[in-house]
Amino acid sequence: MGDVTKGEGRTILFVSHNMVALKSLCNKSIMLENGKLLAQGNTLDIIDNYYLKGKESSNLESYEAENLEKAIGNEFIKLLKAKVVTQSKGPIKTSTEFKLEFEFYALSDLENINLNLTFHSTTEHIFTVLTPQKNISSGLFKAECIIPGNLLNDGTLIINFGIVKDGARFLTLFEEILRINIFDDRLNFEGWTGKWGGYFRPILDFNLIKK
């Protein structure tokens, strides 16, 4: 396909949702929705618009209760805020570091608890993160978890937040409290333009050495 697009005197219409392939083959692009023209111009600009459009339509990157009485939870915990924080306002890509922040109110003193984050795709569990076990007094708390860039693959990430008692049972569990679309950041990669398999895409220290 790349050889075809480089020939002089040719006009190629390439239709795709594959942003990596689009970047490698086209310098100008248009974005359509239900047959209507939404944007046209430089391919990188159109890709950013496409990502932002997807982010707006399917993400749930924040929750905030109006007050403690209206907060979701139970007799142990009330969740006041949950949000995804990034350094920029653009879409979250595979190279983006982001932070998960939670504010909750403990209605009583609690012993031997862990904070629990579980990460899911739309079909299955991916991984779980736990804090060390500790005792907390009643009051307002803030929890933070940093997800480094170049760790997760592109796709939809669904996040549950919970409080575990004695390492065995949930005092409370807020299911699907956050939902994030992670977009492919492989736009300067030459070669494979298809979907990378798996849920992780870490950049590791992997070198070739001639002996």
Side-chain angles (χ1 to χ4, degrees):
M1 186 68 179
D3 292 337
V4 173
T5 61
K6 293 174 183 176
E8 294 184 1
R10 293 192 183 105
T11 299
I12 305 295
L13 178 62
F14 178 66
V15 181
S16 180
H17 290 274
N18 186 325
M19 299 299 105
V20 179
L22 195 66
K23 162 64 171 61
S24 66
L25 296 174
C26 308
N27 53 24
K28 298 290 184 182
S29 299
I30 64 173
M31 181 166 68
L32 302 174
E33 183 178 60
N34 298 323
K36 296 181 179 179
L37 179 66
L38 296 184
Q40 62 181 327
N42 179 274
T43 293
L44 288 180
D45 294 335
I46 299 302
I47 288 172
D48 282 343
N49 287 337
Y50 176 85
Y51 282 160
L52 287 171
K53 185 73 175 175
K55 175 180 178 179
E56 292 169 358
S57 64
S58 59
N59 277 18
L60 177 62
E61 292 190 1
S62 66
Y63 155 83
E64 184 170 358
E66 186 176 335
N67 53 49
L68 184 59
E69 289 183 356
K70 295 184 178 180
I72 56 176
N74 55 20
E75 68 271 27
F76 303 109
I77 297 290
K78 292 288 187 178
L79 184 63
L80 298 173
K81 293 180 183 180
K83 63 179 180 179
V84 181
V85 180
T86 60
Q87 293 295 320
S88 64
K89 295 182 179 180
I92 295 177
K93 301 179 182 180
T94 51
S95 62
T96 304
E97 177 181 288
F98 60 92
K99 180 167 60 175
L100 307 175
E101 292 185 356
F102 303 89
E103 287 188 16
F104 64 91
Y105 198 94
L107 299 175
S108 61
D109 296 347
L110 299 172
E111 296 183 348
N112 301 327
I113 66 151
N114 308 87
L115 304 188
N116 175 289
L117 285 174
T118 54
F119 297 79
H120 301 258
S121 69
T122 54
T123 58
E124 60 185 319
H125 173 254
I126 303 175
F127 68 100
T128 297
V129 178
L130 284 169
T131 62
Q133 199 171 85
K134 60 176 59 180
N135 303 330
I136 65 172
S137 57
S138 62
L140 182 63
F141 291 86
K142 182 178 180 179
E144 298 180 345
C145 180
I146 296 175
I147 308 299
N150 299 310
L151 172 66
L152 299 172
N153 203 358
D154 61 298
T156 300
L157 190 66
I158 300 167
I159 300 165
N160 300 343
F161 173 66
I163 311 291
V164 177
K165 169 73 171 173
D166 297 324
R169 63 185 179 90
F170 278 103
L171 285 181
T172 186
L173 176 62
F174 304 99
E175 295 186 276
E176 299 190 20
I177 192 64
L178 297 171
R179 176 188 290 258
I180 308 167
N181 266 347
I182 301 176
F183 295 99
D184 199 330
D185 200 21
R186 195 168 24 116
L187 298 182
N188 293 319
F189 181 79
E190 296 292 336
W192 172 250
T193 58
K195 167 71 175 174
W196 282 25
Y199 295 113
F200 298 94
R201 196 195 294 180
I203 293 182
L204 305 177
D205 190 9
F206 185 26
N207 298 305
L208 175 64
I209 301 171
K210 183 178 180 180
K211 299 184 68 174

